Amino acid sequence: MKTTFSSHRQVRMICEGAVMVAAAQVLGYIKLWEMPWGGSICLSMLPIFLFAVRWGLGPGLISGFALGILQFTLDGGFALGWQSIIGDYLVAYTVVGLAGLFRGKGWSIYAGTAAGSLARFLVHYVVGATIWAEYMPETFFGMTMTTPWFYSMLYNGFYMAIDMALCLLVFALAAKPMKKYYLGQDLAPAARGEA
């Protein structure tokens, strides 16, 4: 009986992960704003946050990695070379899965969203200040740019802060009907009438 539950749970996790990655990719196409050198305001991280807080760190990181591959290959990836591909896509989207660190706590969806967003911002920030430094304009948002670190903070912080706020808003608005899913309560054997 335990083996049946365990294999059923693994199949469910894989199927749910595939659906969430596909939903994230579709949401990535619906851009509210797109930055000139990559990065956009959209809800693509939302399904990965939800999946990660339901299933945990490992599955969350894998789903984020899968989304990074899809974002680069299907959404016209913007990169300067292999370093940019690894940083801006593979690593940046993988760390969104850090939301899984907060699995099973009442506030997990909010803390996970903040942690995953901050981690992704930090990756883009470092990549932007190092690999993309030569593309720093003289002015940005009406300010004179003197260092690529400040430019990268403004550039990446702009869309990442809005992405995080949008995800938090959606999760807050859906909190009442979605609470048991945020906590993964539907994944327990008793929730499905199993022993």
Side-chain angles (χ1 to χ4, degrees):
M1 185 70 104
K2 189 173 181 181
T3 305
T4 304
F5 170 67
S6 178
S7 60
H8 175 269
R9 188 174 166 88
Q10 287 177 341
V11 169
R12 181 173 178 175
M13 179 182 63
I14 291 167
C15 292
E16 188 173 312
V19 168
M20 292 298 189
V21 170
Q25 180 64 25
V26 170
L27 288 171
Y29 292 131
I30 305 168
K31 296 173 174 62
L32 303 175
W33 176 267
E34 192 162 12
M35 300 294 281
W37 294 101
S40 60
I41 297 171
C42 65
L43 290 171
S44 64
M45 295 187 295
L46 191 136
I48 304 303
F49 290 143
L50 179 58
F51 179 73
V53 299
R54 285 172 54 73
W55 293 97
L57 180 62
L61 293 172
I62 292 169
S63 65
F65 181 77
L67 178 60
I69 292 171
L70 292 177
Q71 283 287 299
F72 179 72
T73 57
L74 300 179
D75 199 23
F78 224 75
L80 289 176
W82 65 268
Q83 301 96 332
S84 180
I85 295 169
I86 290 172
D88 279 330
Y89 291 94
L90 302 183
V91 177
Y93 282 96
T94 298
V95 298
V96 170
L98 289 174
L101 288 170
F102 301 95
R103 177 182 176 196
K105 297 171 178 54
W107 39 267
S108 61
I109 196 71
Y110 307 109
T113 297
S117 296
L118 179 61
R120 182 177 164 203
F121 162 74
L122 289 173
V123 172
H124 287 309
Y125 173 60
V126 171
V127 171
T130 55
I131 297 170
W132 290 90
E134 65 185 280
Y135 294 93
M136 180 181 76
E138 290 183 19
T139 59
F140 187 69
F141 285 149
M143 294 179 270
T144 302
M145 295 293 106
T146 57
T147 169
W149 292 98
F150 183 63
Y151 168 63
S152 183
M153 182 182 71
L154 286 178
Y155 185 99
N156 293 296
F158 173 73
Y159 70 89
M160 285 302 308
I162 296 171
D163 279 358
M164 179 180 73
L166 287 174
C167 287
L168 288 170
L169 177 64
V170 169
F171 287 135
L173 291 174
K176 191 170 183 181
M178 293 288 293
K179 183 179 179 182
K180 75 175 184 179
Y181 300 107
Y182 291 172
L183 297 172
Q185 292 172 339
D186 61 311
L187 303 176
R192 294 191 315 273
E194 295 178 19

